[in-house]
Amino acid sequence: MTAGYVDEMHEAFQTDLVYRSEDVPLECSPKPKDLEQTLHGLMKLNGLVIRSLEEIAGRGANAVTYRAGKKFGHEVAQYFQKRDDVEGALHELSDLLRGQYSFEVWKPEDKDSYIIEENGETFIYLVFHDCIVRQTLRRNGLDQGGPLCQTLFGYVVGAIEEITGRKAKLEIVHTGPNACLKKLVLK
Amino acid sequence: MEIHVDKDACVGCGLCVKDCPMHVYELQNNVSVAVRPNNCMGCLSCHEICPAQALEHRGIYAAKRHYIDIHVCEMLKKVI
Ligand code: SF4
Ligand code: SF4
């Protein structure tokens, strides 16, 4: 992965913002005034569908949503340029996800490279910042990491597979209120 | 990323130490200290769990929050 690409990615998420625990968000950004009812309606509906799916299908709900996401990822990414390098594939992926999700590549400070090889696995850490799934879950008081997150997993895996022609897997490392850390395992 | 812990507010419960997936904090003399701030990826789980609201992150990217109900925001604006 070239330094320029990584720097460019990081630049988009660098701010001078001071965030305090007591800060109460007084407005949504960007202002969704005109779309507010639609957006909240959609988030509620999605949350209720997922809750009902979990009630009926139990653990099987994850498999259903993962598959749905994966199909969607394959479908959308088939119109994107095919790339066999990881950097190019991530470029295509961030274009694909724009407006719904934003992410950057990340590494712990003790690692030298963004492409990490450990225990026979090759992977990249991705920090997801903006995420429509997280927002929907918080709108509905649902836990993160459940079936709705699986749609994003499937979506990313499907898109990466479509773009690179290689098998991939995405694992949750941590879910937080402001960002989630995922591991993209390349096969 | 700069992380500031308000030493006077921190009650030394250690919740941030346990919750942070990147092991950013350590308890030293019953106060949390951000010993590995460069390992922070900005999830803000520590903000959510800290009972004393003792934490401050500088240079963080705040994710979009469409889920905040606009009517609630308008009500809050009148009160605050
Ligand atoms: S924001 Fe997340 S990664 Fe950063 S210190 Fe808090 S819990 Fe750890
Ligand atoms: S969670 Fe808050 S009060 Fe508890 S140790 Fe961490 S900073 Fe201190």
Side-chain angles (χ1 to χ4, degrees), chain B residues 34-60:
Chain B
V35 287
R36 278 175 285 272
N38 291 340
N39 258 359
C40 173
M41 46 88 187
C43 66
L44 292 183
S45 292
C46 52
H47 277 243
E48 202 159 63
I49 207 159
C50 173
Q53 302 196 327
L55 302 170
E56 187 180 287
H57 279 62
R58 216 166 259 267
I60 197 153

Side-chain angles (χ1 to χ4, degrees), chain A residues 49-64:
Chain A
V49 169
I50 289 298
R51 191 172 280 164
S52 309
L53 185 65
E54 259 186 311
E55 281 165 12
I56 292 170
R59 290 165 61 106
N62 282 353
V64 174

